Amino acid sequence: MRNMLDFSSWQAMLSTLLGLVLVTFVAVGIRLLAMQHIQQRRERQNRQINERLKTLIAAYKTLGGSFTGNLAVDPRHMRDLRMQAAEQQGESENPPHSERRRRIRDAVEAALSDVILLGTAQQVRLAVQAANDMVAGRPVETAALVVSLRDFIRDVLELDAVPGDLSIPRQGPLRSPSTGRGSNAGSSGQGKGNGQGGAGMATGGTLGLGLGHPALDAARQPGTDLRDP
């Protein structure tokens, strides 16, 4: 360092200044590269966390979207419902609301699959238990899993906990509209006449959620539980 800082002549001073500028540029460049790498890794982890939260929020809405009515999921498949209806009625292929029950069961199965993939350890255990009940043909209630998802999501988003003095009703799966093949069977002739018009009215939507909340900085390990309650 003493040999580098030489101010005995203007030539030595010029070379000293050039050396200092070069060292400064190299240090700043290394710092910028390191900061860029850290920022890219943080953004990638944030995207993963946001996708996980978005999926779990969608699962929460599916598993706990209703407070009234039958809050248990009917695990029977369409063929079982048709066989039961044929035995009981003998004149109707589909029992009442069978199409709605089938759609609710399919949506709950997809939500349970998402929770098993991205949920915490407690949520995975509850989802696996519900899935085993469905496979065994037992009615499934999702209230406990919904409570776990609600508490987890509020904790990650740094929202206040639900007051303990509130008596929240038990929640069940979201009831889809009762429109489908079963309810439209009587109007199949009109559906054929207006094929293109009817097909144009079948539109779908996706749940989009941009969660860039700073509270997510505390959980930046992909593939691990986020602040597991």
Side-chain angles (χ1 to χ4, degrees):
M1 181 63 69
R2 293 180 178 178
N3 295 331
M4 184 176 181
L5 300 177
D6 187 3
F7 301 100
S8 59
S9 62
W10 67 270
Q11 294 91 347
M13 184 181 300
L14 181 61
S15 61
T16 299
L17 292 177
L18 291 177
L20 290 175
V21 170
L22 180 61
V23 172
T24 303
F25 273 116
V26 172
V28 171
I30 294 175
R31 179 181 176 85
L32 290 177
L33 290 176
M35 291 178 62
Q36 183 179 9
H37 177 71
I38 294 174
Q39 183 179 4
Q40 290 178 350
R41 184 178 62 181
R42 182 173 299 177
E43 291 176 354
R44 182 173 61 254
Q45 292 173 347
N46 269 339
R47 287 194 298 268
Q48 294 174 348
I49 294 172
N50 291 341
E51 288 297 324
R52 182 185 183 187
L53 273 179
K54 182 180 69 173
T55 302
L56 292 180
I57 289 174
Y60 170 82
K61 292 182 177 180
T62 300
L63 297 174
S66 62
F67 296 92
T68 59
N70 185 11
L71 302 182
V73 182
D74 190 348
R76 293 174 297 176
H77 288 263
M78 197 66 173
R79 60 179 180 272
D80 301 329
L81 296 174
R82 288 178 177 174
M83 291 175 61
Q84 181 181 2
E87 293 175 357
Q88 294 179 354
Q89 300 178 5
E91 56 185 10
S92 175
E93 290 188 3
N94 298 332
H97 307 297
S98 61
E99 183 67 18
R100 170 182 288 183
R101 293 175 182 174
R102 182 187 65 83
R103 289 197 302 271
I104 291 176
R105 189 204 68 240
D106 293 345
V108 168
E109 285 183 349
L112 291 177
S113 177
D114 291 337
V115 173
I116 293 174
L117 177 64
L118 299 175
T120 63
Q122 178 187 7
Q123 294 162 6
V124 170
R125 284 194 294 268
L126 293 173
V128 169
Q129 180 181 356
N132 289 330
D133 290 340
M134 294 186 70
V135 172
R138 295 186 293 267
V140 178
E141 292 190 359
T142 61
L145 180 56
V146 168
V147 172
S148 178
L149 288 171
R150 180 179 62 219
D151 295 341
F152 171 74
I153 294 171
R154 293 183 67 88
D155 184 40
V156 171
L157 296 180
E158 291 190 348
L159 300 175
D160 295 336
V162 177
D165 57 346
L166 293 180
S167 179
I168 301 178
R170 294 177 63 86
Q171 295 175 246
L174 180 66
R175 292 191 294 271
S176 59
S178 58
T179 57
R181 291 177 299 178
S183 60
N184 293 334
S187 58
S188 59
Q190 296 179 358
K192 293 180 180 179
N194 301 323
Q196 296 181 351
M201 297 179 61
T203 59
T206 56
L207 174 66
L209 181 62
L211 297 174
H213 201 280
L216 301 178
D217 292 339
R220 298 188 176 281
Q221 296 182 358
T224 58
D225 294 334
L226 297 179
R227 300 175 61 177
D228 193 354

